[in-house]
Amino acid sequence: MIYNKLAETMTRREMRELQTDRLKKTVRYAYNNSPFYRAKFDAAGVKPSDVKTLKDIEKIPFTVKSDLRDNYPFGLSAVPMDKVVRIHASSGTSGKPTVVLYTKNDLEMWSECVARIAAAAGCTDKDIVQICFGYGLFTGGFGLHYGLEKLGAAVIPASSGNSERQIMLLKDFGATALVGTPSYALYLGELAEKSGYKKSDFKLRTGLLGAEGSTPEMMRHIEEKLGLHPTNNYGLSEIIGPGVSGDCLEDCGMHVNEDFFYPEIIDGETGEVKGEGEFGELVLTALTKEGMPIIRYKTKDITRLFYEPCKCGRTTVRMDRIKGRSDDMLIIRGVNVFPSQIEGVLMAMEETAGHYEILVKRENFMDVLEVAVELKDGALLENYANLERLRAEIHRRLKTVLQIDTVVKLVEPLTLKRFEGKAKRVTDLR
Ligand code: ADP
Ligand code: ZN
């Protein structure tokens, strides 16, 4: 079902006109209301009147995460506090979190976006949706919650944690859709199996999965374990939260709600804008935001864009699954390695359980990339020859993809750490 036909199926020309109009307005609004943006524009010698076309966006300097940190907590605000109705913050792996502010209109827009991506993933008002994202400063829980309510689904706000109870609720309430991170969905599937549940105990049909990277192979594991159709959706708190883009059922990239978020792909180093289909860093501009306008935000997420209309009937631009973040790209002995490449190899193998950890260290002045892989079946550990064969095979496949040697360690089932929120799989000790 297409939630908003008008917005999601307009022609490219209509979309560009709408975006141009909104861009001009938002640039003027930011300049007039956000001291941060006024200063940024002035420093770059750009006036709102310089932005007349979409292409003119390239005159505007980028906004980066440290801009938000340096202006902690409310420095990017464009409204007095009486207009703010919600405050969220992102986890912030180092130092202060980044804070975001929402007005009533911002929340309305956010819910609209989430309702659209949920509908694109196949959810309707008949669904019973269990949300396993944390409810709190993290945008995941509340974002999905209000969007799914807007769609008319019955929402179970389970929040994160207490996995045994999550499984009980899934079964007893007859949940038909699950919201969470891919890694947590996989964990719930495993735990259900281990606790003696069968797939037929559940009515799950759809997985609305996001907030972290995944590979098609990982999604297949989730599908196998939970018997649902997993879909991927993307967002970040600086822009709005979840709801920036999401998969339709054609599985050909995530449709961007581009009447609200204008995407560009750039070369992360030079800032140069790239063409359709080229990989690069995603830069997003919110076109209607009031509480905290955000223009040309460098997401650090690596992806590419496709503008061709989709078989599902939507005409909105699609973004590819995130290949990685520019800051989690590892440089191993001079070679660029994305953790997602390693995941792709591991998940494609029958014998592995879908859980892995990556450890990078330096030994004798050399980078060493160690990959710990959890086995699906512990019995394998009893047969040295088979174990060695598997280890060598993983090593070989990783070498084919990464072009470097790795140290592969096979570990017993259910021994690696599990995550309720975003998985953290890489430790770099260098
Ligand atoms: P935090 O910075 O605390 O992680 P967010 O929740 O805003 O805060 O995280 C946004 C980031 O999460 C994105 O920039 C992206 O790297 C990642 N992310 C979100 N959804 C996806 C997805 N579907 N695929 C890959 N990465 C995602
Ligand atoms: Zn589509």
Side-chain angles (χ1 to χ4, degrees):
M1 198 250 309
I2 298 181
Y3 183 78
N4 187 331
K5 269 235 157 74
L6 194 67
E8 296 176 83
T9 64
M10 64 179 87
T11 62
R12 289 251 44 99
R13 217 186 97 229
E14 288 167 332
M15 182 60 82
R16 292 184 74 81
E17 275 167 17
L18 180 66
Q19 287 174 327
T20 309
D21 183 51
R22 288 186 169 172
L23 176 67
K24 286 193 280 192
K25 284 195 184 120
T26 209
V27 164
R28 187 165 300 279
Y29 175 83
Y31 189 81
N32 290 337
N33 296 282
S34 158
F36 166 82
Y37 273 111
R38 176 175 288 254
K40 205 175 191 54
F41 277 59
D42 285 347
V46 184
K47 292 184 298 301
S49 56
D50 294 335
V51 179
K52 296 187 190 75
T53 66
L54 278 181
K55 179 100 181 122
D56 289 337
I57 199 171
E58 292 172 28
K59 297 177 185 164
I60 305 174
F62 297 112
T63 300
V64 294
K65 188 142 192 142
S66 59
D67 286 326
L68 278 84
R69 287 226 183 89
D70 297 345
N71 292 283
Y72 174 86
F74 304 142
L76 265 70
S77 174
V79 292
M81 215 22 106
D82 57 355
K83 291 281 180 287
V84 173
V85 292
R86 182 91 65 78
I87 301 174
H88 279 288
S90 86
S91 46
T93 34
S94 54
K96 298 273 192 200
T98 47
V99 180
V100 286
L101 307 168
Y102 302 75
T103 64
K104 279 190 179 153
N105 286 334
D106 292 337
L107 289 185
E108 192 44 52
M109 177 270 279
W110 190 10
S111 297
E112 161 81 24
C113 290
V114 171
R116 287 187 200 168
I117 61 150
C123 288
T124 69
D125 55 0
K126 296 198 177 53
D127 275 296
I128 303 175
V129 189
Q130 185 156 322
I131 297 184
C132 311
F133 274 149
Y135 279 65
L137 286 175
F138 173 54
T139 50
F142 283 101
L144 265 300
H145 182 101
Y146 287 108
L148 284 158
E149 274 190 4
K150 189 174 169 76
L151 182 65
V155 177
I156 311 170
S159 194
S160 63
N162 202 342
S163 305
E164 277 85 11
R165 191 155 155 276
Q166 298 273 5
I167 292 169
M168 181 191 82
L169 296 177
L170 280 175
K171 175 172 179 280
D172 294 350
F173 292 4
T176 54
L178 176 75
V179 170
T181 56
S183 53
Y184 191 58
L186 183 61
Y187 175 51
L188 281 181
E190 278 173 358
L191 190 66
E193 200 175 86
K194 194 171 136 231
S195 318
Y197 290 93
K198 293 186 295 295
K199 256 192 278 188
S200 57
D201 289 329
F202 303 101
K203 296 207 175 86
L204 286 169
R205 217 167 47 80
T206 308
L208 283 167
L209 309 177
E212 66 179 13
S214 58
T215 51
E217 293 83 5
M218 167 88 171
M219 291 301 211
R220 213 167 33 78
H221 275 266
I222 297 167
E223 180 161 13
E224 224 168 74
K225 287 262 182 272
L226 288 169
L228 49 69
H229 175 73
T231 63
N232 185 14
N233 65 75
Y234 169 87
L236 64 169
S237 44
E238 292 85 342
I239 298 300
I240 192 74
V244 171
S245 65
D247 275 342
C248 67
L249 295 173
E250 299 294 333
D251 195 19
C252 57
M254 297 180 279
H255 285 280
V256 180
N257 282 313
E258 57 170 328
D259 49 334
F260 295 122
F261 314 112
Y262 178 70
E264 300 168 85
I265 297 290
I266 63 156
D267 177 317
E269 314 267 280
T270 65
E272 179 205 339
V273 177
K274 296 196 163 191
E276 171 164 8
E278 285 185 88
F279 276 108
E281 180 177 348
L282 177 67
V283 168
L284 289 166
T285 296
L287 294 172
T288 63
K289 252 169 79 178
E290 292 178 346
M292 201 191 93
I294 189 129
I295 299 170
R296 297 201 95 198
Y297 184 69
K298 283 185 83 180
T299 64
K300 298 214 165 135
D301 295 319
I302 312 292
T303 184
R304 55 185 171 164
L305 299 173
F306 301 106
Y307 287 90
E308 222 167 83
C310 181
K311 281 195 223 109
C312 71
R314 290 175 184 79
T315 52
T316 45
V317 62
R318 285 165 285 133
M319 58 184 260
D320 203 354
R321 165 187 303 286
I322 303 291
K323 189 167 159 192
R325 287 178 57 85
S326 53
D327 51 5
D328 56 41
M329 186 183 79
L330 299 163
I331 302 181
I332 312 287
R333 303 191 288 273
V335 178
N336 297 350
V337 172
F338 278 107
S340 64
Q341 294 175 293
I342 298 175
E343 180 175 308
V345 169
L346 299 178
M347 300 280 167
M349 304 202 50
E350 271 309 303
E351 299 87 347
T352 62
H355 297 279
Y356 62 96
E357 278 173 16
I358 298 167
L359 180 69
V360 190
K361 51 191 176 183
R362 192 158 280 153
E363 273 172 7
N364 303 325
F365 308 105
M366 282 271 285
D367 298 329
V368 176
L369 177 65
E370 195 177 287
V371 186
V373 189
E374 206 177 276
L375 293 168
K376 209 183 244 173
D377 181 2
L380 209 71
L381 286 163
E382 282 151 30
N383 184 325
Y384 183 76
N386 284 348
L387 200 64
E388 247 332 276
R389 207 168 298 137
L390 176 61
R391 216 191 45 71
E393 177 60 14
I394 296 176
H395 178 270
R396 189 187 66 77
R397 291 198 196 184
L398 284 173
K399 183 153 189 177
T400 309
V401 172
L402 309 175
Q403 314 293 328
I404 55 165
D405 277 306
T406 52
V407 177
V408 177
K409 290 196 168 156
L410 300 175
V411 303
E412 278 183 61
L414 302 171
T415 49
L416 294 180
K417 194 169 171 349
R418 299 296 193 265
F419 302 90
E420 286 168 357
K422 301 184 188 225
K424 190 186 173 300
R425 294 190 161 115
V426 182
T427 311
D428 193 338
L429 297 176
R430 289 173 298 178

